């Protein structure tokens, strides 16, 4: 097992390396950040000076080599836009995104599982059909459109919730700064988190329903019923236990996606997380930030995959880690 | 239920569309759900619009000579300069919304299905190979998938935009190609991961061992035995991913990286509508959303039902 | 402080209502986040606006870009090459130290030698020698007569010579941009003190009680929130989360006008939106025949063709239908009221018949094909303007394709995407805001012959070139007498635009701010959003 984990961590390093090269060269191809950052009325000499200061006058291989050498020392470079360490910029903003992703995950699970199980137990009842048809809504419309419509309805027309931004009060829970320690924080997170959760909510409903329907036909459920257990107990214990495993594993993987792709939600709701940082950085071709961000995200994905594989082997003895390793 | 039964029923479906009995059974199974029938009708309507759009639309919204900003933001029912009535109003550039939505639906559907099919074929092959070969090949492929899944679509589209420079005499569909390529690059990994997951489970089952012990070629085992048994999840993922591709194209348009300004897809129309949400000009932002919702709902209702009908574990 | 007047939640949060006094706190939703609080790091609109509230300048622009004394009480040229500045007495920095001529000299030194920034203020500091006469008198000398001295000094902010930082001692006087971002060195003489900057979220400023100077201080605490998505900014105002927003999207102006709880303020900006046409290459890559095939001549080199294109553009229609009435048709580089304008140049009238006649005269009566390139996230409604021009030219017989892209790809390609770093496109849509508030800046950058060695024509993407125009600009930049200089600039504009059609001006942007009822914002031509231009309405 530990050999397996060490091997996977080595893979992670290779993957991060490949990612850094892809992103570095990709952003290099797109254009020169100095062309966007520099003041309109700067003359040509000033332009050249700025390009030199950023090291962008050097050939590609030289820039990349310098990046690698610094990265090996733990320095992922300074942001072109802010001239602050890229890693620090990302870490400063990570808690806000984490908080949004966790809130979204909670919404997806708390609403998704009961609705999905219900739809799976009574597949032909009208409410189940409404649930299933409604769940299609979750991935039919682009996030930005649903987000702004929600803002229009709940913030502008009804005035129930704040429109944009994160709560003012930051409290520390286990050393992590969060705005969720106050009511105001929750009021702020509710709209963006729901917006971000919609897609996952549909997914959870679908997984839970599919799982329930399959499990209901299994012999052990029939046996449990035959034993005369109440329907509640059958559902809560026997069915739940068996559908939770796939739901939890898929969500484990999807959590990475939530963090990585909160880009649009954060932009619409002006949420000060790393998704907004990424989109702003792409807009200004702030290469050090983009590269550092994606290195972190791909690392997150690899680690989550690893955890899921380990979880499988723990939960299901038939899966041996040798099966999925090299 | 044994593995043998599963194989039979799935094979019957995958190979037996032309054979009468299973197809009839499939039809009657499908018809049991009235919502799914509505979905099928919806898909029919969407297909009809997509195929015959240019004959259905009152105006040609992509012909710059016919569109004028002087007609912009007319409310539904107002008359345009050409004398035609804009039944659903006009957008910010003066296009008749109805025509633009009909044309846009064609493009969105084409982009969604086109990129979906290419990504599906590519992703499934890669995923099956990973599951079947195992070992280093599997590891390598899955790490590539990891990279791909974390690489944001917007960056892919941006790089394509900067590198793939369109010349003035290139045909107009190059822009659509570009988007399809970007969407395929973004999507194939989802298919690869999904099919690998189910193929890993199937691979251990008796029928695969049986097929292998008959000394059938790897290819034959992969595509004739493994693939059909992994189809159910692929159909679901496929229907969802098609929807996802269409909204992804909308999102790229929202970020300024989608289809050309003068030839908007449905997704681009929605992105254009974003800025009108607070303006009270509901027809610019809401109608394309409803059209997209209708289109994707229909596709997914059909997809859901197919999954249920085709899933042997649910047949009792 | 966010007010909890939310319907559904009101019962639960009654206790949250007790906060600091709200009367003099204000929250402003702005589109663009600055890139630094360092006054010399990045010469960029959002930075100059934000930092200018914390740091003072010797002289500054009022909301109409008219110059007034801020840290200087008076200034005048005492001979051809020397300007004398009398400094305001009794002014204190936020850290308590006194403001003297030494601080000005120190500030110029740091600005002039700045390394590692995104675009420096060197273009304004170079060639100037500062000499302290006494604590409150300063002489600034140049080699040659220099008329734009006060204009240049509206850009450089003054920091305290006693500021300490954490950077390497030999770089930027030992003070890093980081030291300004976290407040270590952020001590200016402005009406507002820097409190904090939460990146991606907000900047908070506080009233400086020891302020001495001409700026009003109506607010105790000002919070700037960065809300980039246009409708979200409007939503934030309508929902009462912010008291003011800038860059109100044109699509929402109509609705907001009808809203009794909202007040709008609009003002023309110093930004002109215009078209560059390729006047250099004999074969221009995006000029084709009507079917889109390459042709071996470049019609855009003919001034008559350029004039015809200008006449095919229905400017009032763009203003009315695309900009929703919020713009002014343009015939030159700056709107009325600015320095150095041509008194005679008017926007070209929409005249398709006349344009076709001109084309025929030039030998292009059958028309040709064009592609217009434009950004889609840089100027107000930029992509829609490009599309409208595509419609108008196509309808008038020049089939025009429209290609728009985000600014991060667009500007690199438009400026030097072609072979050998030449502009890639043939017909491009761009905008220009005059930072100095007069006509020499756009003339120099857009219409003077492209010449890197002289620093001329840096943004001349159409490569317009006319020795007469070059020499007039050169003369103007060395003429201290305002009347004479204005005449020279006007003549240069007349030739470059009126005769040569070197660029095609479309319209001047009008910027809109929206406040909740009870506040009033004086719209600024330089597009800045500041707390001192916002006052409670009477």
């Amino acid at each position: 097992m530990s050999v397996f984990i060490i091997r996977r961590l080595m893979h992670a390093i290779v993957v991060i390396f490949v990612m850094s090269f892809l992103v570095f060269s990709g952003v290099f191809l797109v254009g020169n950040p100095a062309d966007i950052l520099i003041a309109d009325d700067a003359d040509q000499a000033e332009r050249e000076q700025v390009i030199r200061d950023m090291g962008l006058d050097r050939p590609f291989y030289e820039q990349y080599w310098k990046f690698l050498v610094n990265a090996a020392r733990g320095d992922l470079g300074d942001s072109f836009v802010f001239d602050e360490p890229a890693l620090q910029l990302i870490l400063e903003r990570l808690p806000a995104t984490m908080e949004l992703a966790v809130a979204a995950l909670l919404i997806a699970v708390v609403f998704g599982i009961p609705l999905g199980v219900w739809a799976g137990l009574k597949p032909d009842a009208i409410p189940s059909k409404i649930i299933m048809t409604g769940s299609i809504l979750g991935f039919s419309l682009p996030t930005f459109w649903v987000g702004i419509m929600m803002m229009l309805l709940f913030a502008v027309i009804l005035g129930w919730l704040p429109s944009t931004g994160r709560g003012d009060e930051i409290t520390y829970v286990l050393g992590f700064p969060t705005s969720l320690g106050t009511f105001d924080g929750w009021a702020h997170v509710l709209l963006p988190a729901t917006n971000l959760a919609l897609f996952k909510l549909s997914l959870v409903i679908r997984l839970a329903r599919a799982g329930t329907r399959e499990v209901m036909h299994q012999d052990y459920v029939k046996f449990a019923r035959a034993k005369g257990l109440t329907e509640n107990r059958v559902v809560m214990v026997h069915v739940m236990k068996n559908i939770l495993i796939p739901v939890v594993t898929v969500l484990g993987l999807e959590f990475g996606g939530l963090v990585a792709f909160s880009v649009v939600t954060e932009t619409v709701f002006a949420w000060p997380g790393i998704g907004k940082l990424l989109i702003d950085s792409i807009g200004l071709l702030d290469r050090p930030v983009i590269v550092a961000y994606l290195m972190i995200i791909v690392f997150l994905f690899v680690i989550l995959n690893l955890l899921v594989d380990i979880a499988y082997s723990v939960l299901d003895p038939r899966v041996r880690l040798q099966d999925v390793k090299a | 239920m044994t593995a043998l039964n599963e194989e039979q029923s799935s094979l019957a479906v995958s190979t037996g569309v032309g054979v009468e009995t299973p197809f009839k059974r499939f039809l009657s199974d499908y018809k049991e759900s009235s919502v799914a029938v509505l979905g099928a009708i919806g898909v029919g309507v969407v297909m009809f619009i997509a195929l015959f759009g240019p004959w259905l639309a009152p105006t040609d919204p992509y012909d710059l000579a016919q569109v004028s900003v002087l007609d912009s933001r007319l409310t539904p029912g107002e008359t345009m300069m050409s004398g035609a009535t804009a039944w659903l109003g006009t957008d910010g550039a003066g296009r008749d919304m109805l025509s633009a939505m009909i044309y846009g639906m064609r493009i969105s559907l084409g982009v969604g299905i086109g990129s979906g099919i290419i990504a599906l074929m590519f992703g499934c092959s890669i995923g099956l190979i990973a599951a079947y070969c195992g070992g280093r090949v599997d590891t390598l492929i899955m790490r590539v998938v990891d990279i791909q899944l974390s690489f944001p679509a917007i960056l892919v589209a941006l790089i394509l935009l900067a590198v793939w420079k369109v010349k003035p005499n290139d045909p107009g569909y190059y822009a659509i190609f570009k988007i399809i390529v970007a969407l395929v690059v973004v999507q194939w990994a989802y298919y690869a991961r999904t099919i690998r997951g189910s193929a890993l489970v199937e691979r251990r089952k008796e029928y695969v061992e049986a097929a292998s012990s008959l000394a059938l070629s790897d290819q034959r085992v992969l595509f004739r035995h493994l693939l059909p048994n992994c189809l159910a999840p692929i159909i679901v993922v496929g229907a969802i991913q098609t929807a996802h591709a269409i909204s992804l194209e909308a999102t790229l348009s929202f970020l300024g990286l989608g289809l050309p300004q003068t030839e908007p897809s449905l997704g681009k129309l929605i992105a254009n509508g974003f800025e009108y949400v607070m303006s009270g000009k509901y027809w610019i932002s809401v109608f394309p959303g409803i059209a997209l919702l209708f289109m994707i709902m229909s596709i997914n209702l059909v997809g859901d039902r197919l999954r249920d009908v085709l899933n042997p574990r649910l047949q009792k | 402080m966010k007010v909890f007047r939310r319907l559904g939640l009101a019962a639960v949060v009654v206790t949250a209502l007790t906060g600091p006094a709200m009367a003099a706190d204000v929250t402003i939703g702005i589109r663009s986040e600055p890139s630094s609080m360092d006054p010399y790091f990045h010469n960029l609109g959002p930075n100059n606006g934000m930092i200018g509230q914390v740091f003072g300048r010797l002289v500054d622009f009022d909301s109409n870009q008219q110059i007034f004394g801020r840290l200087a009480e008076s200034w005048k040229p005492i001979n051809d090459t020397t300007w004398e500045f009398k400094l305001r007495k009794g002014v204190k920095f936020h850290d308590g130290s006194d403001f003297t001529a030494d601080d000005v000299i120190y500030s110029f030194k740091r600005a002039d030698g700045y390394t590692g920034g995104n675009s420096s203020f060197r273009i304004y500091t170079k060639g100037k020698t500062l000499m302290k006469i006494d604590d409150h008198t300063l002489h600034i000398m140049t080699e040659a007569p220099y008329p734009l001295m006060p204009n240049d000094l509206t850009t450089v902010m003054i920091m305290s010579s006693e500021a300490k930082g954490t950077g390497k001692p030999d770089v930027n006087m030992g003070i890093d941009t980081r030291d300004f971002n976290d407040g270590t060195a952020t001590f200016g003489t402005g009406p507002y003190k820097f409190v904090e900057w939460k990146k991606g979220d907000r900047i908070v400023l506080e009233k400086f009680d020891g302020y001495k100077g001409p700026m009003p201080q109506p607010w105790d605490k000002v919070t700037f929130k960065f809300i980039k998505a246009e409708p979200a900014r409007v939503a934030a105002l309508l929902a009462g989360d912010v008291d003011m927003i800038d860059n109100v999207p044109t699509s929402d102006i109509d609705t907001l006008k009808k809203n009794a709880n909202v007040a709008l303020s609009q003002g023309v900006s110093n930004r002109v939106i215009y078209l560059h046409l390729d006047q250099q290459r004999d074969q221009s890559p995006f000029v084709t025949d009507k079917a889109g095939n390459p042709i071996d001549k470049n019609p855009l080199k003919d001034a008559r063709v350029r004039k015809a294109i200008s006449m095919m553009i229905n400017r009032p229609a763009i203003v009315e239908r695309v900009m929703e009435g919020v713009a002014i048709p343009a015939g030159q580089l700056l709107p009325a009221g600015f320095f150095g304008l041509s008194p005679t140049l008017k926007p070209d009238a929409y005249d398709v018949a006349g344009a076709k006649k001109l084309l025929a005269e030039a030998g292009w009566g059958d028309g040709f094909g064009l592609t217009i390139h434009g950004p889609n996230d840089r100027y107000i409604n930029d992509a829609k303007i490009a599309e409208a021009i595509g419609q108008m030219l196509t309808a008038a017989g020049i089939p025009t394709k429209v290609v728009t892209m985000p600014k991060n790809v667009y500007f690199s390609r438009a400026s030097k995407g072609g072979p050998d770093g030449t502009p890639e496109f043939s017909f491009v849509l761009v905008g220009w805001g005059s930072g100095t508030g007069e006509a020499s800046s756009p003339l120099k950058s857009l219409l003077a012959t492209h010449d890197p060695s002289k620093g001329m024509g840096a943004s001349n993407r159409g490569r317009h070139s006319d020795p007469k125009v070059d020499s007039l600009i050169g003369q103007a930049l060395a003429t201290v007498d305002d009347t004479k200089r204005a005449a020279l600039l006007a003549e240069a504009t007349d030739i470059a635009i009126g005769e040569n059609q070197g660029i095609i001006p479309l319209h001047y942007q009008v910027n809109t701010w929206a406040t909740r009822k009870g506040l009033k914002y004086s719209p600024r031509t330089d597009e800045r959003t500041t707390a001192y231009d916002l006052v409670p309405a009477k």
Side-chain angles (χ1 to χ4, degrees):
Chain A
M1 176 112 156
S2 57
V3 175
F4 168 77
I5 293 176
I6 290 169
R7 202 193 292 248
R8 277 293 273 281
L9 286 177
M10 279 161 62
H11 289 168
I13 292 171
V14 175
V15 165
I16 290 171
F17 174 77
V18 174
M19 190 70 166
S20 78
F21 178 77
L22 286 177
V23 180
F24 200 96
S25 47
V27 179
F28 182 84
L29 285 174
V30 171
N32 189 336
D35 290 334
I36 323 158
L37 288 174
I38 207 155
D40 278 343
D41 45 7
D43 55 18
Q44 289 94 331
E46 175 62 25
R47 271 163 215 272
E48 276 163 28
Q49 172 77 35
V50 169
I51 290 172
R52 255 201 315 279
D53 282 355
M54 288 178 174
L56 294 168
D57 55 332
R58 314 307 304 163
F60 173 74
Y61 62 86
E62 208 178 308
Q63 293 186 35
Y64 186 57
W65 177 248
K66 194 173 162 216
F67 165 78
L68 285 183
V69 170
N70 286 334
R73 290 199 297 252
D75 172 13
L76 294 180
D78 287 353
S79 153
F80 289 151
V81 177
F82 296 105
D83 199 29
E84 296 202 22
L87 199 59
Q88 187 194 322
L89 281 174
I90 294 170
L91 294 181
E92 258 174 28
R93 298 225 203 160
L94 194 60
T97 297
M98 282 299 184
E99 167 180 313
L100 184 63
V102 169
L105 202 64
L106 274 179
I107 291 174
V109 170
V110 168
F111 292 95
I113 291 182
L115 288 174
V117 170
W118 164 272
L121 287 175
K122 303 199 166 88
D124 296 319
I126 299 289
S128 310
K129 287 190 174 159
I130 294 174
I131 291 171
M132 290 317 291
T133 312
S135 78
I136 297 178
L137 280 172
F139 53 83
S140 291
L141 287 165
T143 316
F144 65 88
W145 195 85
V146 178
I148 199 75
M149 286 295 179
M150 281 166 50
M151 198 190 291
L152 177 65
L153 181 62
F154 293 105
V156 177
I157 296 178
L158 297 173
W160 289 354
L161 292 166
S163 59
T164 49
R166 189 180 177 211
D168 290 346
E169 300 292 323
I170 303 294
T171 50
Y172 286 82
V173 177
L174 303 173
F176 293 104
T178 172
S179 70
L180 298 185
T182 60
F183 189 83
D184 179 55
W186 278 99
H188 276 88
V189 86
L190 203 54
L191 276 184
T194 309
N195 186 226
L196 187 60
L198 277 182
F199 189 85
K200 305 298 166 207
L201 181 64
S202 308
L203 191 76
V204 173
I205 291 180
R206 281 156 177 270
L207 283 172
R209 173 181 178 267
T212 310
R213 288 199 64 189
E214 285 196 10
V215 168
M216 290 309 283
H217 292 300
Q218 303 281 338
D219 292 340
Y220 67 85
V221 173
K222 287 180 197 160
F223 183 70
R225 279 196 178 135
K227 261 193 343 193
L229 295 183
T230 62
E231 189 66 20
N232 267 348
R233 194 171 157 77
V234 172
V235 172
M236 292 312 285
V237 178
H238 296 269
V239 177
M240 268 308 200
K241 217 159 71 184
N242 280 282
I243 63 162
L244 275 184
I245 293 172
V247 170
V248 167
T249 46
V250 171
L251 283 183
L253 287 174
E254 294 290 341
F255 184 73
L258 276 179
V259 173
F261 302 115
S262 53
V263 172
V264 172
T265 299
E266 288 188 7
T267 306
V268 171
F269 287 94
W271 189 264
I274 52 173
K276 190 160 170 274
L277 176 67
L278 177 72
I279 207 84
D280 291 347
S281 301
I282 290 179
L284 295 170
L285 299 179
D286 194 348
R287 193 176 63 205
V289 177
I290 304 174
V291 174
Y293 174 91
L294 288 171
M295 284 166 72
I296 291 174
I297 292 296
V298 79
F299 181 72
L300 185 73
F301 268 80
V302 175
I303 294 301
L304 282 170
N305 273 347
L306 175 62
L307 289 178
V308 166
D309 283 346
I310 294 173
Y312 267 140
S313 77
V314 173
L315 294 174
D316 187 348
R318 283 170 302 175
V319 177
R320 278 165 299 141
L321 285 177
Q322 279 77 2
D323 278 345
V324 284
K325 78 149 173 70
Chain B
M1 172 166 288
T2 67
L4 206 64
N5 275 341
E6 269 182 55
E7 190 198 14
Q8 276 173 350
S9 59
S10 310
L11 279 180
V13 170
S14 62
T15 58
V17 177
V19 186
E20 234 199 327
T21 334
F23 183 62
K24 265 192 176 164
R25 202 186 73 198
F26 164 79
L27 264 190
S28 67
D29 274 0
Y30 186 94
K31 278 193 290 194
E32 269 174 34
S33 161
S34 48
V35 182
V37 172
L38 283 180
I41 295 172
V43 168
V45 172
V46 169
M47 288 294 178
F48 182 78
I49 292 175
L51 287 176
F52 300 103
W55 291 277
L56 296 170
T59 63
D60 179 355
Y62 295 172
D63 180 3
L64 279 184
Q66 286 188 36
V67 182
S68 168
V69 282
L70 294 173
D71 284 330
S72 61
R73 306 185 311 279
L74 298 180
T75 49
E78 273 191 90
T79 309
M80 298 192 288
M81 297 220 306
S82 61
T85 308
W87 293 110
L88 298 182
T90 59
D91 72 359
R95 276 179 291 262
D96 171 36
M97 281 307 284
L98 179 62
S99 310
M101 278 159 57
I102 290 173
Y103 272 69
M105 201 179 245
R106 258 162 84 84
I107 294 192
S108 281
L109 199 66
V111 166
I113 292 179
S115 70
I117 288 175
I118 300 172
L120 184 140
M121 293 199 307
F122 183 68
C124 284
S125 314
I126 300 272
L128 277 180
I129 290 169
Y132 190 74
C133 297
R136 284 182 195 285
V137 178
D138 184 34
T139 312
L140 180 70
I141 291 177
M142 289 326 286
R143 293 299 81 77
V144 174
V145 166
D146 280 342
I147 292 181
Q148 187 58 68
L149 285 178
S150 22
F151 206 92
I154 165 178
L155 206 54
V156 176
L158 197 65
I159 292 169
L160 278 175
L161 178 69
V163 176
W164 186 347
K165 296 183 174 177
V166 179
K167 293 191 192 65
N169 51 348
D170 287 339
Y173 49 78
Y174 264 44
I176 297 180
F177 274 5
K178 222 189 267 189
I179 292 295
I180 290 184
V181 170
L183 293 178
V184 168
V185 171
V186 174
Q187 288 186 88
W188 69 268
Y190 286 94
Y191 289 103
R193 194 172 77 181
T194 310
I195 200 155
R196 172 183 173 269
S198 36
L200 273 184
V201 177
E202 296 294 321
R203 195 170 73 125
R204 282 195 291 274
K205 295 205 166 145
E206 292 92 335
Y207 72 94
V208 177
E209 274 172 36
S212 298
S213 61
L214 284 174
L216 298 179
S217 72
D218 280 0
Q219 246 182 334
R220 200 178 151 84
V221 177
L222 258 178
F223 289 103
R224 297 298 293 274
H225 295 262
L226 259 180
L227 182 61
N229 282 287
C230 305
L231 269 183
I234 286 296
I235 290 175
V236 185
V237 174
I240 295 183
Q241 280 300 319
T242 305
H244 194 59
I246 294 173
S247 39
L248 197 59
E249 190 269 313
T251 306
L252 288 178
S253 293
F254 169 61
L255 299 169
L257 290 164
L259 287 161
Q261 179 76 13
T262 50
E263 296 176 10
S265 64
L266 200 50
K268 171 102 185 154
L269 287 177
I270 291 176
N272 289 347
F274 180 75
E275 60 182 297
Y276 287 98
V277 167
M278 300 290 159
S279 73
K281 299 186 178 65
Y282 62 90
W283 63 94
I284 304 178
S285 48
V286 173
F287 288 157
I290 293 173
L292 183 69
L293 194 62
F294 175 76
M295 187 162 108
I296 289 179
M297 275 268 202
S298 306
I299 295 172
N300 276 280
L301 286 173
V302 172
D304 279 358
R305 190 63 195 158
L306 284 183
R307 192 245 346 246
D308 283 0
V309 175
L310 297 184
N311 189 345
R313 290 189 197 94
L314 295 177
Q315 280 168 10
K316 278 283 140 178
Chain C
M1 179 70 198
K2 170 95 215 85
V3 186
F4 273 93
R5 37 141 202 90
R6 316 282 180 206
L7 224 65
L9 311 172
V12 200
V13 290
V14 168
T15 47
L17 271 167
T18 49
M22 286 169 209
D25 290 357
V26 73
T27 305
I28 302 175
I30 57 175
R31 179 169 65 184
S32 309
E33 181 172 6
S35 60
S36 175
M37 284 304 290
D38 183 336
Y40 319 124
F41 173 76
H42 195 175
N43 179 13
L44 181 80
N47 290 34
N48 295 341
M50 181 64 68
I51 309 171
Q53 304 173 86
V54 178
F55 291 85
R57 304 175 176 97
L58 286 186
V59 293
D60 209 339
F61 284 136
D62 68 5
S63 54
N64 293 316
Q65 270 181 295
Q66 301 302 313
I67 295 171
F68 71 96
R70 208 169 140 179
L71 287 170
E73 268 175 342
S74 65
W75 59 96
K76 59 171 188 286
I78 50 175
N79 60 43
D80 263 4
T81 57
T82 308
W83 287 71
E84 183 180 80
F85 285 81
K86 289 274 182 203
L87 306 183
R88 205 177 286 276
K89 295 191 180 93
V91 173
K92 285 198 182 304
F93 284 99
H94 300 162
D95 61 356
S97 55
D98 287 313
F99 162 73
T100 65
D102 292 322
D103 298 305
V104 182
I105 293 171
Y106 177 89
S107 298
F108 267 70
K109 208 171 148 200
R110 186 163 183 272
D112 193 58
Y114 203 91
T115 50
N118 287 346
S119 82
S120 71
F121 289 80
R122 254 185 302 275
I123 45 172
Y124 306 117
T125 55
K126 73 177 170 199
K128 298 185 178 70
T129 314
L130 276 67
M131 197 167 75
K132 176 179 168 180
I133 303 301
D134 60 51
D135 266 0
H136 296 98
T137 312
L138 191 70
H139 282 182
I140 304 183
M141 286 153 299
T142 51
E143 302 248 309
Y146 192 73
L148 293 178
M149 182 66 73
N151 299 65
D152 279 6
L153 293 190
T154 59
T155 60
V156 183
M157 288 170 263
I158 307 302
M159 62 181 287
S160 165
S161 58
E162 285 167 40
K164 297 277 178 297
T166 59
K168 289 188 207 125
D170 52 332
V171 180
N172 301 333
M173 325 288 263
I175 310 173
D176 260 355
T177 179
R178 273 156 245 186
D179 298 321
F180 288 93
N181 296 348
D182 64 14
T184 311
T186 331
F187 303 116
T189 57
Y192 291 97
K193 284 189 296 187
F194 174 79
V195 178
E196 64 164 345
W197 179 6
K198 283 190 196 155
K199 293 227 178 62
D201 188 18
R202 72 188 65 186
I203 284 179
V204 182
L205 305 180
E206 215 172 57
K207 185 176 175 180
F208 172 44
D209 288 325
Y211 178 70
K212 190 172 173 209
M215 318 301 252
Q217 287 178 294
W219 311 107
D220 292 329
K221 184 177 156 200
V222 190
T223 307
F224 290 89
K225 287 193 173 183
F226 318 124
I227 308 175
K228 198 175 162 195
E230 313 279 350
R233 214 162 45 246
V234 177
L237 178 75
L238 292 176
D241 294 323
V242 298
D243 302 301
M244 174 170 98
I245 57 172
D246 66 2
N247 292 291
V248 179
T250 53
S251 48
D252 296 328
I253 287 173
D254 245 8
T255 331
L256 291 178
K257 262 186 192 153
K258 290 176 200 142
N259 189 327
N261 298 318
V262 173
L264 292 179
S265 63
Q266 291 185 324
V268 65
S269 86
N270 60 17
R271 194 177 297 279
V272 62
I273 303 296
Y274 66 94
L275 303 164
H276 272 307
L277 310 97
D278 182 358
Q279 295 153 55
Q280 188 181 41
R281 286 171 284 203
D282 290 325
Q283 247 184 308
S284 200
F286 288 91
V287 183
T288 60
D289 68 10
K290 284 181 133 173
N293 301 309
I295 46 176
D296 53 6
K297 266 167 75 185
N298 176 7
L300 300 182
K301 288 186 82 167
D302 190 323
R304 287 171 295 184
V305 174
R306 302 198 290 268
K307 177 86 177 168
I309 291 178
S310 177
M311 287 158 72
M312 286 173 179
I313 296 170
N314 187 348
R315 289 178 180 78
I318 292 181
V319 167
E320 270 318 305
R321 305 310 305 176
V322 179
M323 306 301 288
E324 311 212 13
V326 192
I328 295 166
Q332 50 184 318
L333 296 162
L334 280 166
F338 280 90
F339 183 87
L341 303 190
S342 157
T344 50
L345 268 185
K346 297 274 171 299
D348 280 327
Y350 178 53
D351 177 7
V352 176
K356 284 186 169 163
K357 225 166 83 192
L358 258 182
L359 271 189
E361 259 175 50
W364 291 95
D366 293 335
F368 51 91
L370 267 181
T371 303
I372 181 170
H373 286 87
N376 57 22
D377 56 354
R378 178 64 186 88
Y379 311 108
I380 302 176
N381 298 336
D382 39 17
K384 281 194 257 176
I385 301 166
E387 192 176 4
I389 290 170
Q391 292 173 4
M392 290 164 185
L393 296 188
T394 304
I398 300 181
T400 303
K401 288 180 189 154
V402 181
V403 179
T404 59
M405 54 190 85
K407 60 174 187 279
N408 53 6
V409 181
Y410 177 74
F411 283 101
S412 286
R413 289 179 64 179
S415 301
K416 50 178 195 205
D420 306 323
T422 52
E424 182 181 342
F425 309 131
S426 300
F427 185 43
V428 296
L429 178 116
V430 225
W432 182 271
S434 173
T436 52
E438 43 79 59
S440 78
S441 119
L443 278 170
K444 208 171 106 177
S445 292
L446 308 180
L447 288 158
T449 306
H450 178 76
D451 184 351
S453 65
K454 289 188 196 141
M456 299 297 258
S459 298
N460 184 350
R461 299 186 179 93
R463 299 287 191 258
H464 166 265
S465 171
D466 184 339
K468 266 187 295 180
V469 175
D470 292 351
S471 106
L472 283 168
I473 298 172
Q475 283 177 48
L477 289 175
T479 306
V480 180
D481 184 291
D482 278 352
T483 326
K484 282 190 198 146
R485 189 166 82 254
L488 287 165
L489 292 172
E491 196 187 342
T493 309
D494 270 329
I495 298 175
I497 296 179
E499 283 176 26
N500 297 352
Q501 291 288 332
I503 60 165
I504 298 179
L506 294 174
H507 56 255
Y508 309 113
Q509 277 188 191
V510 169
N511 290 310
T512 311
W513 287 260
T515 62
R516 68 173 164 76
K517 208 176 132 195
L519 299 180
K520 188 170 166 24
Y521 190 75
S522 331
R524 292 186 66 96
T525 53
D526 57 13
E527 305 182 344
R528 289 175 191 166
T529 303
T530 64
Y532 47 70
D533 288 297
L534 177 68
V535 292
K538 299 200 174 73

